[in-house]
Each structure stands twice: as C-alpha cells, then as structure tokens.
Amino acid sequence: MSSMSALDRLAVPGARHWGRLPGRPADADPLAEFTGLGRRLRRLRLKEWVGFTLLHPELASSVIIQDAQYLSSSEFYLFDRAAGLLHQHSATSHGGAPALPTVLLEGVCHFQRRGYRISYSFAESSGRHRVEVDLAATTKAPAITGALTLDAAAATAPLSVSSRLPGGRMYTYKAAFPVAGTLRVGGRAFTFDPSRDLAILDEHRSLLPYRTSWLWGTFASLGAGGLVGANFAARPELPGEPEESCLWTPGTCEPLADIAFAPGSADPMAPWHISSADGRLDVAFEPQGRKRVIRQLGLFAIDYYQLFGHYTGTVRGASRTFELSGAPGVCESMKARL
C-alpha cells in the first residue's frame, strides 16, 4: 500500500501502509496484514504498549500499560523533585489481560489488579482524553490517585510511523498534549496547569526482533513561542526506512533522522549530548533521577533504564529556531531478549 488518502486501517490482508503517515489510522492493528497460522505465529512476536510521559515543574512521572503476549504489565513512577523521592508502583498479569484496543482514539485502555488501576479513555470527537490513576499504598510507596484531562485540540501534530525493522516491523503514534488535573501522592497534591504542563503519548504496536535494543528520548515545553519538543531514537534500522524521530514546532511535526546519543561518561547520572546529523536537534540532557529494570527469565531478559531530567539546547524548525532551557523530559536505554 502506498496511498494514505483514507486513514481507515494500518493494514488489510496481504498489504500494509508504510512510511510517515499523516495521522493515526482509525484501526492500527498490525496483525491485520496476516491470516491463519501466519497471524497466530506473528502474534507471539507482537509487543504493544500505550504510555504517557508527564511533564511538570515539581515532578517527573511516567505511566505505561504494556502487553508482550506471554506477559502483561503496568508501571507508574513519580519523582518528587523538591523532596528527591522516587515512588514506584507496578503490577503484572497474563498476556492479553490489558485492554489495548487497536481503535484507540475513541477507545479505553485499562489495567486493573487488586490495589492497582490505570485507565485511559480517548475521545477524539470531543477533543478530550483522560488518564485516571488509583494506586493503593504499599510498603515502599504512598497511595497515588487522580485524574488528568488532555486537550487534543491543542496537541502537537502527530508522529505516526510505520516501518520495517531488521527481523521485524514497527508502528508508533506519538503526540504532546496540554494537560489539566491533579495527582495526589500521599498527603500532597500536584496540580497540572494546561498553560504550562504537558503529557506525551507513546503508542507502539510492533513485531520486534527477539534481540531488541534502542536509545530513546523525548521532551516538550510550552512557552511564548508555542509548544516545542522532540521525539528521537537510535535503533537498528533498514536503509531508507523512516525512523521514529521528529521535531514538534507550533502546528508541525517535522521528520528527523540520524540521531546520535553521547553520554558524558560511564557514570549512570552523567549528562548526555543528543543531536541529529543535520544539526536541527542539538541538546544536552541533565539527569535528575534514574529508574532501572533488570529481569532474567530464561529465554527472556530485560536490561532497561530511564533517566528523567531536563533538556537545554536548540531545536531548528523549518521556519524558526527555538532555544530551550530546562525543558522537562526523559532519556532511556533498552537491551532485551523478547
């Protein structure tokens, strides 16, 4: 498939849309290309997640619901910048347990276990999406509850990419949204102001190779010039295939490629320099904290960390250059056998 005049489906039997797409297909089922035994076998390779990076001056936070088919999980972390405290909640279930509908933008995603509930509701027709959190206190973390509303009408232009990978294929959809609402962490309330605070959506529906690795980062900031940010990744790629990297400038999502990640040293909390080969992205990332996951499950293994902190540097859009100072964001590394 090459024409994308109607964004009805990512794929149909025997064919799939490839490239940078103008928006999210109404139905982004990556398995619709296949039938019968081929579909069942490829489901074993499918990795799906929907998550948000929350950007706020007083906290760094991220929430995700993910399904690896043999195991599903959800995680929520929140770092209180002033107190220097990292609070983490997580839960697991069997593969296929979470609701992650391929018709996402008028759907509901949820993950629920005893004492743990994460729910997203998407309403593109009304221009409002919602994230709800209800996490009971544990011996290691306080209760975290609240609801956030995302303003889809004021969001960035979307990043929507369908590409072939060495030994697999990827679909991702990303956008940044002004966000309003409150999160309550123990006895403290964090209020989100849509004139300042943002949530970055990250959806993946990908047939990943067994050995998978990537470096990835994102940030966004609302200022006098409008909403500016970036999403950038470095992973094994096939020549000519689009990367999941972009610049967000007011009203546009501009393609970005050839990203280099350069940590300052072997220190886990060392700053990073991240740039694109064409110089349109040139930023320094200063970590403030770190979240790590290491799991060994026989044939399956994960060595993952996410750093949260601030970006400073330059974003050069097609029509304007933006200087950033202290834009909140994250940077992460994944090495896995999936």
Side-chain angles (χ1 to χ4, degrees):
M1 283 179 162
S2 58
S3 171
M4 202 62 189
S5 57
L7 289 168
D8 292 330
R9 295 180 180 275
L10 175 65
V12 297
R16 171 170 169 157
H17 292 291
W18 299 105
R20 289 183 180 269
L21 311 180
R24 188 190 189 279
D27 188 333
D29 180 2
L31 297 179
E33 180 184 356
F34 310 103
T35 58
L37 179 60
R39 180 182 175 96
R40 292 194 293 275
L41 290 175
R42 285 175 175 84
R43 179 171 290 281
L44 299 175
R45 305 292 327 130
L46 180 62
K47 305 296 177 281
E48 300 177 288
W49 64 83
V50 180
F52 291 93
T53 300
L54 305 178
L55 307 180
H56 184 284
E58 297 176 273
L59 61 85
S61 186
S62 179
V63 56
I64 193 168
I65 301 172
Q66 50 199 349
D67 190 355
Q69 308 310 314
Y70 56 85
L71 177 73
S72 65
S73 62
S74 177
E75 298 177 3
F76 182 98
Y77 79 74
L78 184 147
F79 179 73
D80 183 330
R81 298 186 195 275
L85 295 175
L86 177 63
H87 307 302
Q88 299 183 75
H89 290 265
S90 63
T92 60
S93 190
H94 59 84
L100 293 172
T102 58
V103 181
L104 182 72
L105 296 183
E106 291 293 345
V108 175
C109 299
H110 59 79
F111 189 101
Q112 185 163 348
R113 304 288 284 170
R114 181 169 181 162
Y116 188 104
R117 185 177 71 86
I118 300 290
S119 177
Y120 318 141
S121 56
F122 296 89
E124 189 174 36
S125 56
S126 70
R128 290 289 186 271
H129 307 321
R130 189 171 173 86
V131 176
E132 296 182 10
V133 178
D134 189 359
L135 309 174
T138 70
T139 56
K140 296 182 179 180
I144 302 177
T145 61
L148 303 173
T149 300
L150 284 60
D151 184 357
T156 60
L159 173 69
S160 183
V161 176
S162 172
S163 65
R164 302 168 183 87
L165 299 174
R169 50 194 67 200
M170 176 196 75
Y171 175 72
T172 190
Y173 171 74
K174 295 178 169 69
F177 303 80
V179 60
T182 301
L183 289 179
R184 292 176 176 82
V185 183
R188 186 172 181 192
F190 295 91
T191 299
F192 285 74
D193 178 348
S195 69
R196 179 195 64 194
D197 302 327
L198 299 163
I200 302 178
L201 168 64
D202 180 2
E203 176 192 16
H204 255 266
R205 299 182 186 271
S206 301
L207 300 165
L208 297 177
Y210 172 63
R211 293 186 181 276
T212 291
S213 64
W214 67 71
L215 293 169
W216 170 80
T218 192
F219 65 83
S221 179
L222 263 170
L227 203 169
V228 178
N231 183 87
F232 35 91
R235 67 193 308 159
E237 304 278 356
L238 292 174
E241 289 294 308
E243 300 179 25
E244 58 167 303
S245 301
C246 73
L247 299 179
W248 284 307
T249 58
T252 67
C253 176
E254 301 180 24
L256 199 62
D258 300 322
I259 307 300
F261 290 76
S265 72
D267 184 339
M269 292 296 290
W272 292 57
H273 178 235
I274 302 162
S275 60
S276 60
D278 60 13
R280 292 187 300 129
L281 176 72
D282 189 357
V283 294
F285 174 68
E286 187 72 35
Q288 190 176 15
R290 190 171 190 258
K291 171 187 177 293
R292 189 163 197 191
V293 176
I294 297 179
R295 291 177 181 162
Q296 295 286 339
L297 302 171
L299 293 175
F300 306 108
I302 291 175
D303 185 349
Y304 165 87
Y305 63 85
Q306 183 173 101
L307 299 162
F308 40 89
H310 296 92
Y311 285 85
T312 297
T314 304
V315 168
R316 295 182 174 88
S319 59
R320 183 176 171 186
T321 296
F322 298 86
E323 298 296 334
L324 302 169
S325 179
V330 298
C331 188
E332 72 178 26
S333 168
M334 169 68 88
K335 297 177 182 178
R337 300 193 307 272
L338 299 169

